[in-house]
Amino acid sequence: MPVQKKANVTELHTARHDSSEKARSGMDKILVRGGSRLNGTIAVSGAKNAALPLMCAAILSDEPLQLRNMPLSLNDIKTLTAVLNELGVVSGTPEDHTLMLHAPAITCHKAPYDLVRKMRASVLVLGPLLARTGQADVSLPGGCAIGTRPVDLHIDGLRAMGADISIEGGYIKASAPQGLKGAEINFPKVSVGATENLMMAATLAAGETILSNAAREPEIVDLGECLIAMGAQIEGLGSPVIRIRGVEKLHAATHHVVPDRIETGTWMIAVCLTGGTLRLQKTRLEHLSALIGPLKEAGLKIEHEGDDVIVSRNGRPLRGTDIMTEPYPGFPTDLQAQFMTMLTLCVGAGMVTETIFENRFMHVPELNRMGADIRVQGNSAIIRGVPDLVGAEVMATDLRASASLILAALVAQGETTINRIYHLDRGYENIVEKLQSCGADIERVANI
Ligand code: EPZ
């Protein structure tokens, strides 16, 4: 019977302190007093949804991967770093938005439930683990507030590449003792995560893999460009057909994470609501083509100055417009809640149709508590503009719904308290500080 390492008193105390610290910070609140215009400059962070798969790519090589422009303060980044450390990936001391990851050897093949359930994107270690070692034992990520979030497309694709996969006790138990082999995979529906998992797996598979109906998000292109820098052979990034020719091994690389288009879109919508002028730095507007049309129609003015984007209201009243979320380059589902907040104050009405996730309207009852007039019918919501929103006590339910409540609070009359802001800490780097620097009356309050 292996001797269980007894945690000494210090370790127990530290562990208890850390968890209570996390619990306390997680239960912190945000207080906002509405009515201030936003004026100032915001440096957009590196994209969370690019950084997470990029970190998993480090598993594919025994040489170091240096990632720059990383949103290091996000809880999701910290959680995934812990998952990678469990597997034997060494992480350098994060500094100045740079993270060094190095996997000289994979010492464990298990991504445990207690970490994966906290951060679903941990399932992206599955493909790289299988490709590097021929073995993986990854907890099913489980659902989250916005949907059941199945991973059947990930599993079906890896099986097509020769992996034996069974689901036992809530874990995906996968093996490919002979190594993975290239395959033609036609996704029945577009999946960002499945495209990422299989693209990473295919870089070390024998032969060519063709991914059809692949996701085209900028984060997929960013991951592919990093893999190419590591020595992978990939064509068709950003198109619906990605071809990957497997190679023997991948080598060291340095990669600069693409700017966060969802954060950028959030600030553009914010200034539509509050008025004022924001200068957005280190972003790439071409990744938001589907948002720019509806925002200009609603009343946003967009100018460029070098690499900076300058956004302000065009002086006319906000006008309602309709949007439908779709895979890239369609309107991003991750900006649906934020755009809906803007529609609550538009002249006229707008309709929002959510086609990606089955339960992504949880911000609706919270916005209605602030005086919005929103009615949900199936996967559509009708928003009739009202003259004002009024501050209230509201609850964040998921990452992007939290952002939509912050936006509403910035423009509501009076004070809003937003509870359960641990959701926000997962995906928005220093959101309170960034808004304070532009004149918002917003503060984080520890939940005593
Ligand atoms: C990624 O999630 C993003 N997360 C999500 O951002 C984003 O909303 C989503 O893509 C769509 O753009 C990360 O990149 C870490 P999908 P992912 O696989 O990969 C179904 C945020 O707020 N599906 O493209 O999980 C699925 O249920 C988050 O930053 C299957 O049926 O999304 C959904 O209905 C939220 N089977 C649709 O496909 C599968 O095997 C799209 O999911 C996989 C997905």
Side-chain angles (χ1 to χ4, degrees):
M1 176 70 172
V3 177
Q4 290 297 326
K5 175 176 171 294
K6 286 250 181 294
N8 63 38
V9 173
T10 311
E11 279 171 334
L12 279 176
H13 174 73
T14 308
R16 197 174 303 122
H17 172 73
D18 285 353
S19 59
S20 62
E21 182 58 36
K22 255 192 219 90
R24 216 182 358 260
S25 66
M27 298 315 281
D28 286 355
K29 301 179 176 184
I30 284 183
L31 290 186
V32 182
R33 290 170 200 83
S36 308
R37 286 167 171 266
L38 291 179
N39 285 295
T41 299
I42 293 179
V44 174
S45 299
K48 164 181 83 82
N49 290 350
L52 295 171
L54 285 165
M55 290 170 70
C56 297
I59 294 169
L60 291 165
S61 170
D62 59 3
E63 297 180 23
L65 175 62
Q66 185 178 69
L67 297 172
R68 292 187 174 148
N69 194 36
M70 282 285 287
L72 292 171
S73 59
L74 297 184
N75 288 347
D76 272 8
I77 301 295
K78 295 169 187 168
T79 305
L80 185 56
T81 303
V83 172
L84 294 175
N85 293 156
E86 290 269 323
L87 304 178
V89 179
V90 179
S91 47
T93 311
E95 57 180 334
D96 187 26
H97 299 292
T98 298
L99 180 64
M100 172 72 80
L101 294 170
H102 187 196
I106 298 297
T107 53
C108 170
H109 301 88
K110 182 163 189 170
Y113 172 68
D114 66 315
L115 285 172
V116 176
R117 72 179 172 78
K118 270 193 280 188
M119 219 281 301
R120 300 188 61 271
S122 312
V123 74
L124 294 174
V125 304
L126 178 60
L129 273 179
L130 263 182
R132 171 85 186 267
T133 70
Q135 193 185 346
D137 189 358
V138 177
S139 168
L140 277 167
C144 73
I146 64 176
T148 53
R149 312 293 294 274
V151 290
D152 55 309
L153 302 180
H154 303 235
I155 290 168
D156 294 349
L158 290 169
R159 280 181 172 143
M161 294 174 74
D164 293 324
I165 298 184
S166 61
I167 308 295
E168 295 168 31
Y171 276 77
I172 305 165
K173 295 191 179 292
S175 71
Q178 317 303 325
L180 295 172
K181 59 186 189 314
E184 289 204 29
I185 297 162
N186 190 346
F187 292 114
K189 66 166 43 170
V190 174
S191 162
V192 169
T195 301
E196 291 167 340
N197 236 334
L198 294 169
M199 182 164 72
M200 288 191 281
T203 58
L204 297 176
E208 182 178 54
T209 297
I210 301 172
L211 302 179
S212 300
N213 198 23
R216 304 166 55 189
E217 274 68 5
E219 294 76 29
I220 302 271
V221 175
D222 204 46
L223 173 64
E225 287 173 351
C226 176
L227 292 168
I228 291 169
M230 293 167 74
Q233 294 182 13
I234 303 174
E235 292 170 0
L237 289 171
S239 84
V241 181
I242 300 177
R243 291 171 182 274
I244 306 106
R245 178 165 293 287
V247 295
E248 274 304 303
K249 77 185 294 285
L250 297 178
H251 52 68
T254 295
H255 182 78
H256 186 96
V257 179
V258 70
D260 194 320
R261 62 194 167 101
I262 304 305
E263 181 190 352
T264 304
T266 303
W267 303 134
M268 293 168 76
I269 293 169
V271 85
C272 267
L273 283 160
T274 62
T277 301
L278 283 183
R279 176 182 289 266
L280 304 179
Q281 295 179 319
K282 305 197 308 182
T283 193
R284 287 170 58 179
L285 215 48
E286 71 267 25
H287 292 159
L288 279 165
S289 51
L291 177 74
I292 290 166
L295 279 184
K296 280 185 173 174
E297 203 176 313
L300 185 72
K301 185 174 145 195
I302 302 175
E303 297 164 290
H304 292 261
E305 204 175 280
D307 288 345
D308 294 355
V309 172
I310 296 155
V311 288
S312 57
R313 288 280 299 280
N314 65 11
R316 290 195 305 268
L318 286 176
R319 288 179 29 230
T321 182
D322 298 345
I323 57 158
M324 179 170 74
T325 64
E326 291 174 298
Y328 192 89
F331 191 98
T333 176
D334 292 347
L335 280 168
Q336 176 258 105
Q338 299 92 313
F339 196 86
M340 187 185 286
T341 294
M342 188 196 67
L343 289 175
T344 66
L345 290 170
C346 282
V347 173
M351 185 161 85
V352 170
T353 303
E354 172 59 54
T355 70
I356 306 292
F357 290 109
E358 65 267 31
N359 187 34
R360 203 166 197 176
F361 284 150
M362 284 162 302
H363 42 288
V364 168
E366 300 304 305
L367 290 171
N368 282 341
R369 297 187 62 246
M370 297 177 74
D373 177 358
I374 308 171
R375 299 210 174 93
V376 174
Q377 286 158 347
N379 69 340
S380 289
I382 308 285
I383 300 97
R384 290 182 179 79
V386 294
D388 291 304
L389 294 178
V390 180
E393 181 117 19
V394 292
M395 187 175 74
T397 50
D398 62 270
L399 170 56
R400 305 304 174 180
S402 315
S404 74
L405 296 178
I406 294 261
L407 297 184
L410 289 172
V411 74
Q413 287 180 346
E415 186 171 279
T416 299
T417 303
I418 298 158
N419 296 292
R420 297 195 180 180
I421 55 162
Y422 56 85
H423 293 293
L424 265 176
D425 296 336
R426 290 190 43 214
Y428 283 91
E429 207 176 31
N430 308 322
I431 188 166
V432 170
E433 294 76 11
K434 287 180 177 177
L435 285 168
Q436 282 172 340
S437 73
C438 295
D441 186 349
I442 180 171
E443 59 182 317
R444 187 184 193 115
V445 175
N447 191 25
I448 315 295

